[in-house]
Amino acid sequence: MEIKSKAMRSVSDEVERCLPYFIRLCVNGVIATGVRLDASAIEVARDIHRKLPPTTDATLRGHFEATLSDLVDLVSALAPRLPPEMIHDFAEKASQAQVAATLERSLIGALRAAAG
């Protein structure tokens, strides 16, 4: 089944829709491995990208890759302000979902400010 580019959301819409899930995966990576948030974002994106079927339409593949790239850029922008120890400390006091939700609110606020 071929997906037409007209039916696809914009990359920015996809980024906003996927951001909460992507952040949760990144936070889980930081907590599990102790790596920096930016390194976790890159690894999460690589893992997701590896799951894309090789026969995926080129337009859809480009859209998917642009979305992943923007997600990595957004999450990586937080990395200098959030060392792994800070995320671990926060996670000891709150659930991983709460940590991710806090990061998500910060990034969505930044996205909306940049768009408006």
Side-chain angles (χ1 to χ4, degrees):
M1 180 173 135
E2 184 179 321
I3 297 178
K4 303 290 182 203
S5 60
K6 289 189 289 188
M8 282 191 281
R9 301 174 199 234
S10 71
V11 169
S12 60
D13 288 344
E14 287 293 349
V15 167
E16 192 164 340
R17 186 174 72 91
C18 296
L19 189 60
Y21 309 106
F22 189 78
I23 290 173
R24 281 185 179 85
L25 292 171
C26 294
V27 167
N28 289 341
V30 171
I31 292 169
T33 65
V35 300
R36 289 176 42 100
L37 188 60
D38 52 349
S40 181
I42 291 167
E43 192 54 39
V44 167
R46 285 181 180 152
D47 287 344
I48 292 170
H49 191 270
R50 280 191 279 271
K51 294 175 183 171
L52 187 65
T55 57
T56 303
D57 173 74
T59 302
L60 182 58
R61 178 176 291 278
H63 182 81
F64 182 78
E65 290 170 347
T67 300
L68 279 177
S69 177
D70 285 358
L71 287 166
V72 169
D73 290 346
L74 280 169
V75 173
S76 293
L78 292 173
R81 294 181 276 160
L82 295 170
E85 302 80 28
M86 184 182 291
I87 293 175
H88 277 281
D89 292 347
F90 190 11
E92 287 178 9
K93 299 172 187 156
S95 72
Q96 290 181 13
Q98 288 170 315
V99 173
T102 299
L103 297 179
E104 175 194 348
R105 280 191 302 275
S106 173
L107 288 172
I108 287 185
L111 277 174
R112 290 187 178 142

